[in-house]
């Protein structure tokens, strides 16, 4: 069952009923000002950091799940009836409801008793503000007298504090209202030089800034007293809960439309120019007024919206495929790329499943997010790499997370996740292959944000490699530390205290827990480093990495091999995990994926065996589950993985992040049919028709789909912020369709289903536009062995870089 449809032409998903199985959200903003918006206008906004600079309030885990947001209300002033055009919070029975989630914007509209309205929400490029453009149309045959109310509840900036420190916060709230603009200035009097503003383009009948006054005692957002009575109170908040609401009266003749623009924004003043007049406590508004005035104009809004749409046309134009498979084309060309931008921006910080206060930017997460983003805006990828690398420690280890606003490593979670450093090598390698910009390797980057300890990025990579080599266990495999990619395999934790964090609780001393997964990851990273060092002519490093990779490969193929698949780990006591010897958790997906992606076993048959075992034991119609058999009780020596009921999350859920590794593995092994089959099992668009089972948004990947052991198999959770986005983009575009940036050119090496015929790709790469036509006869399963580049035949499948960038090159690639 569907709850809407794709509009590929407009690059939108159109939700046609408000009561989706879960809130289906979108993101506003792609630079520094961001918002989450649901299909019923729920959500919140923040500047740069969802924890430290939150503009508006949101209460997670509410009932309904999504409650609180950018609500507007309409009131028929003749009958007194009022409603929310976005359905929430009043939940009137609307006609023609639709929510169009597009790239960086959402348009929510409906009709109620002959009054049609539509609100466009978006963030103009280059600005720290969001526009709500409301259009109200009278479809009645008679004139209508209406009131329009805006509403937003301000957050007192630090979201964690805002959620907990009520004894202080009920007394700190402050606002100013000048010329119809509501300014939220809590703590501006002291150490903050930023404020929020909420402005309106139309003349107003009144306003409110006190939530109590707006809602009325013991009322909620579904029937604010101000909206019910049609009378704003011009309240000024002193402490308690500052909010913003404007009241605009609208008279519309039959067929007439009125447009009202609301702006919600963030502004920073220079420290020495905060007040106007100086020496008062009044906000200096001279700096922000021109921006407000600009965007209250319809024409400026229209222009900014066009610019946003053009921006996305440009970004998406870098990779465009026409394969004839709508699920492939739609995801690669639109939604998967878009999700890669969102994961790049958010890491794992703010979604409806990540509260914005728990986690900032993940070291491993953000490095992986780069893989699906780097082609879009390489300059931002470069900046991100340098930020991430600055949180690396001198040991080569890394803070597991950092705050986006401060860019400082997060002490609460600390370090010791032994896979972290290797991902930096992969992130940088992707950047180098995409851009050829080796100058980044020479940039001086601090360790632990201490500029006095800066070293070239290249040395950071060397230390990443060294970190693993310095921490090998009895089998020669990397020690796992707190955890590797699988945060829930906590082999040194042995937690018996309720509520203790598995990721941070002090380790039991003296263990030798090793990870086969990090073994595979290390081989992949060391191979990348071999190539990077080679191109830099650093023979010593090249040799060190080549050798280390070869040695680790041997170790993985012996101590890491179970007979039919790769093992997962050795526990604290040196006992094997992920082996036929175990009664539960015999086979795990992640070492199969990562080892094969690293090339281990591709030549000696191990990969073929491992792939067959995955297909036999882990693959389900809803994707490939993480391990089997699921853990049926708490295993003290394994940690969090066995805390989840069977089939959920890391305990045998389809942890979607890992599936693309198997798609890549199948593609590398030459099984294009198998690769695409896995791809389509978790492709959100392909799952759209089972939305009532999948429940999450059909336009983006979710972190998890419940596995076959769960009572709700196929039910997705934790949509949006997952490494699934980047890795699926890599798997489909670079390995299945096979268009892959390499240091020396663009590789064209598809691994396709037999039934496929020709397809075309446009790929902009290092300033050149490659128009690629892959020629394939149905039935063939071979690889590309010859290219015709602008009419000239080239053996092999590497499209060379032209002497001069800036041209368009036509390529035909022939599959044998
Ligand atoms: C989740 C993991 C997550 C970890 C981070 C666990 O509860 O299952 O997926 O990475 O928490 O804190
Ligand atoms: C989610 C985390 O963000 C990611 O880093 C981790 O690899 C997975 N959970 C698996 O546990």
């Amino acid at each position: 069952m569907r709850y809407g449809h794709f509009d590929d032409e407009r690059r939108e998903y159109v939700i046609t009923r408000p009561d989706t199985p879960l809130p289906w959200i979108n993101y506003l903003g792609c630079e520094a000002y961001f918002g989450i918006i649901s299909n019923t206008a729920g959500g919140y906004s923040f500047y740069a950091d969802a924890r430290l600079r939150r503009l508006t309030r949101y209460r997670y885990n509410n009932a309904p799940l999504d409650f609180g947001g950018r609500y507007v209300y309409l009131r028929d002033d003749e009958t007194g009836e009022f409603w929310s055009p976005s359905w929430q919070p009043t939940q009137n029975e609307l006609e023609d409801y639709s929510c169009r989630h597009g790239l960086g914007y959402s348009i929510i509209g409906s009709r109620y008793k002959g009054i049609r309205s539509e609100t466009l929400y978006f963030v103009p490029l280059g600005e720290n503000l969001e526009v709500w453009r409301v259009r109200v149309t009278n479809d009645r045959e008679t004139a209508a007298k209406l009131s329009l109310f805006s509403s937003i509840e301000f957050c007192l900036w630090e979201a964690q504090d805002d959620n907990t420190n009520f004894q202080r916060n009920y007394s700190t709230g402050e606002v100013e209202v000048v010329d119809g603009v509501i300014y939220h200035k809590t703590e501006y009097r002291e150490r903050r030089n930023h404020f929020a503003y909420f402005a309106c383009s139309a003349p107003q009948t009144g306003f409110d800034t006190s939530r109590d006054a707006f809602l009325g005692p013991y009322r909620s957002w579904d029937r604010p007293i101000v909206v019910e009575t049609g009378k704003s109170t011009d309240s000024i908040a002193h402490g308690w809960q500052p909010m913003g609401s404007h009241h605009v009266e609208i008279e519309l003749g039959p067929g007439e439309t009125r447009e009202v623009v609301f702006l919600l924004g963030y502004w920073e003043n220079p420290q020495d120019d905060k007040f106007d007049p100086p020496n008062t406590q009044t906000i200096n508004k001279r700096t922000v007024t021109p921006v407000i005035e600009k965007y209250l104009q319809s024409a400026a809004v229209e222009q900014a919206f066009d610019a946003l749409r053009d921006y996305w046309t440009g970004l998406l134009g870098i990779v465009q495929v026409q394969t004839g498979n709508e699920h492939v084309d739609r995801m690669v060309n639109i939604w998967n790329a878009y999700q890669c931008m969102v994961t790049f921006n958010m890491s794992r910080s703010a979604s409806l499943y990540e509260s914005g206060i728990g986690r900032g930017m993940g070291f491993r997460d953000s490095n992986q997010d780069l893989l699906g983003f780097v082609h879009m805006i390489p300059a931002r990828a470069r900046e991100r790499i340098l930020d991430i690398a600055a949180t690396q420690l001198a040991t080569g280890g890394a803070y597991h997370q950092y705050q986006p606003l401060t860019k400082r490593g997060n002490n609460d979670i600390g370090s010791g996740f032994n896979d972290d450093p290797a991902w930096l090598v992969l992130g940088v390698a992707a950047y180098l292959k995409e851009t050829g910009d080796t100058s980044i390797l020479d940039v001086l980057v601090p360790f632990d944000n201490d500029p006095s300890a800066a070293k070239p990025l290249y040395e950071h990579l060397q230390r990443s490699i060294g970190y693993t080599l310095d921490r090998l266990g009895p089998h020669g495999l990397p020690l796992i530390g707190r955890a590797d990619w699988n945060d829930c395999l906590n082999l040194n934790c042995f937690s018996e205290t309720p509520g203790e964090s598995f990721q941070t609780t002090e380790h039991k001393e003296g263990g030798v827990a090793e990870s086969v997964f990090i073994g595979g990851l290390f081989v992949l990273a060391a191979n990348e480093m071999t190539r990077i060092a080679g191109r830099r002519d650093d023979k010593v490093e090249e040799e060190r990495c080549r050798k280390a990779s070869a040695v680790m490969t041997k170790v993985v193929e012996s101590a890491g091999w179970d007979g039919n698949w790769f093992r997962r780990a050795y526990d604290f006591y040196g006992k094997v995990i992920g082996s036929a010897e175990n009664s539960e958790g015999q086979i795990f997906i992640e070492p199969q994926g990562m080892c094969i992606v690293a090339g281990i076993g591709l030549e000696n048959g191990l990969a073929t065996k491992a792939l067959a075992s995955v297909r036999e034991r882990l693959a389900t119609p809803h994707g490939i589950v993480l391990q089997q058999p699921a853990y049926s009780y708490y295993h003290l020596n394994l940690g969090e993985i066995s805390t989840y009921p069977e089939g959920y999350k890391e305990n045998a859920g389809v942890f979607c992040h890992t599936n693309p590794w198997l798609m890549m593995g199948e593609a590398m092994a030459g099984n294009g049919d198998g690769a695409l089959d896995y791809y389509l099992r978790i492709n959100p668009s392909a799952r759209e028709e089972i939305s009532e089972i999948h429940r999450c948004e059909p336009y983006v990947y979710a972190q998890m789909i419940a596995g076959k052991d769960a009572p709700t198999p196929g039910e997705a959770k934790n949509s949006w912020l997952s490494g699934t986005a980047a890795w699926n983009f890599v798997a489909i575009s670079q390995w299945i369709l096979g268009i892959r940036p390499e240091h020396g050119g663009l590789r064209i090496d598809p691994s396709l289903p037999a039934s496929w015929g020709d397809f075309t790709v446009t790929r902009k790469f290092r300033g050149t536009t490659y128009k690629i036509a892959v020629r394939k006869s149905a039935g063939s399963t071979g690889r590309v062995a010859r290219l015709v580049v602008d009419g000239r035949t080239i053996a092999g499948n590497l499209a060379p870089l032209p002497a001069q960038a800036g041209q368009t090159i036509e390529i035909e690639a022939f599959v044998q």
Side-chain angles (χ1 to χ4, degrees):
M1 171 183 172
R2 294 182 166 90
Y3 292 77
H5 57 266
F6 286 93
D7 183 339
D8 292 338
E9 194 73 21
R10 288 180 46 152
R11 303 183 306 227
E12 293 171 342
Y13 190 83
V14 189
I15 301 165
T16 49
R17 50 186 285 186
D19 56 341
T20 45
L22 288 165
W24 285 2
I25 70 161
N26 192 14
Y27 284 82
L28 307 177
C30 17
E31 296 164 323
Y33 181 103
F34 299 106
I36 292 173
I37 184 161
S38 74
N39 57 306
T40 58
Y44 63 98
S45 302
F46 56 94
Y47 169 75
D49 191 310
R51 172 171 177 168
L52 300 178
R53 285 282 197 288
R54 195 166 308 188
L55 268 82
T56 67
R57 216 170 245 167
Y58 190 77
R59 290 172 193 79
Y60 276 88
N61 204 356
N62 222 319
L65 202 53
D66 169 40
F67 197 76
R70 302 171 185 82
Y71 297 142
V72 298
Y73 300 84
L74 279 168
R75 179 176 189 276
D76 186 328
D77 286 337
E78 270 146 2
T79 62
E81 211 183 343
F82 63 92
W83 70 98
S84 329
S86 61
W87 192 57
Q88 278 275 74
T90 61
Q91 297 194 0
N92 296 52
E93 212 161 292
L94 302 170
E95 296 156 37
D96 289 344
Y97 159 90
S98 76
C99 167
R100 293 181 163 268
H101 282 320
L103 309 187
Y105 67 89
S106 293
I107 304 172
I108 307 179
S110 61
R111 199 156 51 138
Y112 187 72
K113 301 205 170 157
I115 302 298
R116 197 148 43 87
S117 75
E118 179 191 275
T119 308
L120 161 69
Y121 299 92
F122 76 102
V123 176
L125 292 168
E127 304 291 356
N128 293 322
L129 62 88
E130 65 189 67
V131 172
W132 313 0
R133 185 189 66 192
V134 186
R135 283 184 175 154
V136 188
T137 303
N138 179 10
D139 282 348
R140 297 176 183 165
E141 276 161 15
T142 52
K145 277 187 75 176
L146 305 168
S147 279
L148 170 67
F149 295 90
S150 63
S151 72
I152 201 78
E153 187 177 354
F154 292 114
C155 177
L156 308 188
W157 302 115
E158 213 282 55
Q160 165 78 359
D161 186 78
D162 185 67
N163 268 319
T164 45
N165 196 6
F166 306 112
Q167 62 79 24
R168 167 179 161 83
N169 297 340
Y170 285 173
S171 295
T172 55
E174 288 190 289
V175 297
E176 283 178 37
V177 183
V178 179
D179 296 337
V181 183
I182 296 166
Y183 296 88
H184 173 229
K185 57 181 256 189
T186 302
E187 291 185 348
Y188 190 75
R189 60 164 56 233
E190 31 125 344
R191 292 154 296 172
R192 297 187 184 276
N193 59 358
H194 47 264
F195 56 88
Y197 57 88
F198 193 31
C200 168
S201 65
Q204 295 144 50
T205 312
F207 65 87
D208 273 284
T209 69
S210 150
R211 192 184 74 187
D212 248 10
F214 181 74
L215 297 181
Y218 287 89
R219 284 170 175 249
S220 184
W221 298 88
D222 58 336
R223 46 184 203 109
I225 190 103
V226 160
V227 179
E228 192 175 288
T229 57
K231 284 192 182 58
S232 291
T233 72
D234 294 356
S235 57
I236 295 290
H238 302 287
W240 298 108
Q241 298 86 7
M243 55 94 65
S245 170
H246 307 91
H247 177 191
V248 177
E249 287 181 339
I250 300 177
E251 286 193 30
L252 291 175
E256 218 187 317
T257 298
R258 180 74 43 80
E259 182 174 301
V260 180
V261 175
F262 298 100
L263 302 179
L264 175 66
Y266 170 89
W267 193 259
E268 276 174 19
N269 268 335
Q271 184 60 31
D272 56 1
D273 199 16
K274 279 174 65 169
F275 301 106
D276 184 21
N279 306 321
T280 67
Q281 289 293 300
T282 311
I283 297 177
N284 168 6
K285 306 176 186 74
R286 278 177 284 114
T287 47
V288 71
T289 304
V291 178
I292 297 178
E293 278 173 358
K294 173 173 175 189
Y295 288 100
L296 288 179
Q297 309 294 324
S298 288
V301 167
E302 196 63 39
Q303 230 177 35
F305 185 53
D306 286 349
L308 180 68
R309 290 191 53 92
D310 291 349
Y311 173 76
W312 274 105
T313 305
L315 291 181
L316 297 180
I318 298 167
V319 178
Q320 283 290 303
V321 306
Q322 293 80 37
T323 68
N325 181 311
E326 64 169 347
H327 305 304
V328 173
D329 291 1
R330 173 181 289 151
M331 290 309 292
V332 174
N333 295 341
I334 306 171
W335 291 99
N336 195 174
Y338 179 56
Q339 190 179 359
C340 286
M341 162 73 99
V342 172
T343 55
F344 173 83
N345 285 330
M346 297 292 127
S347 196
R348 305 297 167 268
S349 68
S351 71
L352 284 202
Y353 309 87
E354 300 283 3
S355 66
I357 56 184
R359 302 203 266 171
M361 313 296 281
F363 192 97
R364 84 157 80 88
D365 297 322
S366 289
N367 273 306
Q368 291 174 82
D369 294 343
L370 284 169
L371 308 178
F373 173 81
V374 61
H375 66 283
M376 286 195 261
I377 315 180
R380 287 190 66 198
R382 187 179 208 269
E383 203 183 309
R384 175 63 51 78
I385 286 170
L386 300 177
D387 287 347
I388 299 173
T391 66
Q392 191 174 27
L393 303 168
T395 58
Y399 275 105
H400 195 50
Q401 287 155 18
Y402 71 94
Q403 277 311 121
L405 189 76
T406 61
K407 299 185 178 170
R408 294 278 159 161
N410 181 340
N411 279 316
D412 296 344
I413 177 104
S415 68
F417 294 76
N418 281 355
D419 63 317
D420 273 335
W423 298 108
L424 179 65
V425 181
L426 301 194
V428 173
Y431 174 79
L432 293 171
K433 291 183 201 170
E434 182 65 37
T435 62
D437 167 26
T438 50
S439 74
I440 193 175
L441 296 171
D442 298 312
V443 176
L444 291 178
V445 184
F447 287 101
D448 195 3
N449 282 113
D450 174 3
S452 69
K455 291 279 184 242
L457 180 65
Y458 185 67
E459 187 166 331
H460 282 254
L461 303 187
Q462 292 178 296
R463 291 202 199 177
S464 291
I465 298 287
Y467 181 87
T468 306
L469 293 176
D470 292 344
R471 287 165 185 75
L472 300 177
H475 296 91
L477 287 163
L479 292 173
I480 199 167
R482 293 207 168 275
D484 60 22
W485 172 88
N486 190 333
D487 283 320
C488 296
L489 197 60
N490 316 114
L491 304 183
N492 297 307
C493 189
F494 293 86
S495 177
E496 292 186 284
T497 307
E500 213 167 53
S501 157
F502 286 97
Q503 276 86 43
T504 57
T505 294
E506 204 174 320
H507 278 176
K508 184 170 153 140
E509 287 299 316
V512 288
E514 297 169 275
S515 163
V516 178
F517 174 84
I518 304 184
L521 176 66
F522 176 80
V523 170
L524 184 62
N527 292 347
E528 295 291 7
M529 193 62 188
T530 306
R531 286 187 280 267
I532 294 171
R535 296 184 78 81
R536 217 178 146 83
D537 236 1
D538 179 351
K539 295 267 176 325
V540 177
E541 186 60 31
E542 187 185 8
E543 214 26 52
R544 174 176 86 128
C545 291
R546 192 195 312 282
K547 269 210 191 110
S549 162
V551 171
M552 188 63 76
T553 300
K554 283 261 164 322
V555 173
V556 169
E557 288 179 347
S558 48
W561 182 251
D562 201 58
N564 285 306
W565 57 79
F566 293 100
R567 296 177 157 181
R568 179 61 179 86
Y570 288 90
D571 74 5
F572 183 88
Y573 307 105
K575 290 216 297 276
V576 69
I577 297 168
S579 158
E581 281 176 28
N582 301 113
S583 57
E584 303 192 321
Q586 294 178 333
I587 169 170
F588 281 67
I589 188 174
E590 61 270 37
Q592 320 312 321
M594 189 46 71
C595 293
I596 298 172
V597 166
I600 302 173
L602 277 172
E603 244 121 67
N604 57 16
L606 299 191
T608 314
K609 274 195 184 167
L611 289 169
S613 300
V614 168
R615 200 160 280 278
E616 189 187 314
R617 290 167 176 256
L618 300 179
T620 80
H622 296 294
I624 312 167
V625 299
L626 194 143
Q627 109 277 12
Q628 281 291 295
Y631 293 113
S632 62
Y633 61 94
Y634 179 47
H635 294 247
L636 183 62
N637 62 326
L638 302 180
E640 184 169 352
I641 189 166
S642 56
T643 66
Y644 286 113
E646 294 92 311
Y648 292 109
K649 294 278 279 177
E650 283 85 344
N651 189 13
V654 176
F655 212 94
C656 296
H657 185 142
T658 58
N659 280 222
W661 297 336
L662 271 299
M663 299 166 202
M664 290 163 65
E666 291 285 5
M668 287 173 180
N671 180 8
D673 274 294
L676 193 80
D677 166 39
Y678 283 156
Y679 174 77
L680 290 174
R681 292 187 200 201
I682 64 165
N683 177 304
S685 160
R687 297 175 63 77
E688 185 199 13
E689 60 187 359
I690 53 160
S691 285
E692 79 286 6
I693 296 171
H694 185 79
R695 302 189 74 226
C696 279
E697 297 91 331
Y699 40 92
V700 289
Y701 288 97
Q703 181 206 61
M704 196 243 338
I705 299 173
K708 59 184 176 183
D709 305 292
T712 56
E715 179 195 31
K717 256 181 223 162
N718 302 6
S719 55
W720 281 97
L721 303 187
S722 166
T724 311
W727 278 110
N728 268 289
F729 194 82
V730 169
I732 184 70
S733 66
Q734 299 188 12
W735 295 94
I736 300 178
L737 303 179
I739 313 299
R740 197 159 65 236
E742 289 189 2
H743 294 289
L746 193 60
R747 184 74 64 189
I748 302 174
D749 181 26
S751 182
L752 302 168
S755 63
W756 273 35
D758 294 358
F759 70 92
T760 58
V761 177
T762 303
R763 177 64 156 95
K764 295 191 178 139
F765 178 61
R766 301 205 203 165
T768 297
T769 302
Y770 293 82
K771 289 205 171 293
I772 304 161
V774 174
R775 306 277 181 225
K776 172 178 179 299
S777 49
S780 70
T781 53
R783 305 301 271 250
V784 168
R786 142 180 94 90
L787 303 176
V788 177
V789 180
D790 278 341
R792 215 163 33 90
T793 300
I794 294 182
N797 57 13
L798 186 70
L801 293 164
Q804 261 183 344
Q807 328 163 15
T808 296
I809 298 188
E810 308 261 353
I811 298 184
E812 283 187 293
F814 293 90
V815 174
Q816 287 198 319

